Amino acid sequence: MNDPINNIEWIDARELEANDYNPNVVFTPELKSLEKNIFDIGFVQPILITKDYTIIDGFHRVQISIESTKLIKRYQHKVPCVIFDVERDRAMILTVRMNRAKGSHVA
């Protein structure tokens, strides 16, 4: 199989760039919960990025990986990523689809 999940790379979160089209908003309590979940059980979903390291899905996991002392100690800023070779319009569609699939979308 050649599914994207078979091509995970651990990349320094500080090298990744936020996109300028993600309408998803997460509030502080949810960010703290996300941090706790990652710390307690680890990453269960990779960050989706374009070949130029723009985040398609996973911005908040990246943000936490850059800011959380606990996660920095464990992962040294590294996050699991899958790189997609897609144009901007396709990346935008994927961002919206991923937000909707997780039940959080404010567009």
Side-chain angles (χ1 to χ4, degrees):
M1 279 187 258
N2 194 22
D3 287 354
I5 197 73
N6 293 331
N7 300 308
I8 291 177
E9 297 179 38
W10 286 84
I11 297 173
D12 190 315
R14 297 168 295 185
E15 295 181 28
L16 305 180
E17 295 290 331
N19 65 53
D20 60 359
Y21 49 79
N22 188 355
N24 191 21
V25 175
V26 176
F27 299 103
T28 301
E30 287 81 10
L31 287 174
K32 289 292 184 191
S33 178
L34 180 58
E35 176 189 29
K36 181 177 177 4
N37 286 341
I38 294 171
F39 186 76
D40 289 349
I41 62 174
F43 284 95
V44 296
Q45 184 178 13
I47 311 304
L48 308 183
I49 61 174
T50 63
K51 62 185 177 182
D52 67 354
Y53 284 21
T54 300
I55 301 165
I56 296 171
D57 182 66
F59 170 78
H60 297 100
R61 284 172 278 149
V62 169
Q63 179 183 13
I64 289 168
S65 296
I66 293 170
E67 297 172 358
S68 166
T69 305
K70 294 189 309 187
L71 295 183
I72 292 167
K73 185 174 181 181
R74 178 172 292 169
Y75 296 104
Q76 293 81 46
H77 293 287
K78 301 282 186 181
V79 292
C81 297
V82 171
I83 300 172
F84 283 85
D85 186 6
V86 293
E87 299 300 322
R88 179 182 166 84
D89 59 343
R90 182 76 174 138
M92 291 172 77
I93 290 168
L94 285 171
T95 296
V96 172
R97 282 186 183 164
M98 295 304 294
N99 286 344
R100 285 185 177 161
K102 290 185 261 181
S104 58
H105 185 71
V106 235

